[in-house]
């Protein structure tokens, strides 16, 4: 009887354990940009965010801070603007650039731990 009860308790415990605990911590670490770069580095390549034909008339934000998550696959998700200057200006160019970015894990991140971080970027206008 005691054996059956113990087996039942173990089954209940096993079923109630979160899948993220079993698989390891899949929740992104909240890291400052300098710390996030110790786990993930931007992949080599160029990123070409979509921009309107006449960006001078669009009122683009000159400086944008964007928060993002790097997934286990090195892709970005949950990209959002934290701050844009001047306020109310379009920050779509920064969102598109960060969404297009890809990251490679560093040697110290062989488990490919997801991270949540942010970056600040400056708009210098279209390439001439």
């Amino acid at each position: 009887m005691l054996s059956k009860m113990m087996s039942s308790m173990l089954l209940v415990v096993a079923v109630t354990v979160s899948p993220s605990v079993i698989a390891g911590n899949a929740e992104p670490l909240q890291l400052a940009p300098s710390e996030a770069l110790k786990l993930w580095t931007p992949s080599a390549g160029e990123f070409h965010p979509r921009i309107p034909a006449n960006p001078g008339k669009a009122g683009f934000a000159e400086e944008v801070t964007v928060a993002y998550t790097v997934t286990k696959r090195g892709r970005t998700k949950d990209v959002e603007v934290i701050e844009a200057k001047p306020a109310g200006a379009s920050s779509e160019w920064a969102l598109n650039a960060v969404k297009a970015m890809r990251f490679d894990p560093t040697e110290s991140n062989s488990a490919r731990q997801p991270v949540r971080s942010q970056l600040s970027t400056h708009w210098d206008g279209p390439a001439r």
Side-chain angles (χ1 to χ4, degrees), residues 7-32:
S7 295
S8 296
M9 287 176 52
L10 287 175
L11 179 61
V12 169
V13 170
V15 170
T16 59
V17 172
S18 153
S20 65
V21 171
I22 294 169
N25 187 7
E27 289 295 313
L29 299 174
Q30 302 282 331
L31 299 176

Side-chain angles (χ1 to χ4, degrees), residues 50-67:
R50 293 174 303 195
I51 57 173
N54 191 351
K57 291 186 178 182
F60 277 13
E62 294 174 7
E63 187 175 328
V64 181
T65 301
V66 179

Side-chain angles (χ1 to χ4, degrees), residues 65-95:
T65 301
V66 179
Y68 61 95
T69 299
V70 178
T71 68
K72 288 182 81 93
R73 295 181 56 211
R75 297 184 176 269
T76 55
K77 73 174 194 172
D78 302 328
V79 181
E80 61 182 325
V81 173
I82 302 298
E83 182 179 23
K85 295 178 185 176
S90 174
S91 56
E92 186 112 3
W93 63 270
L95 285 173

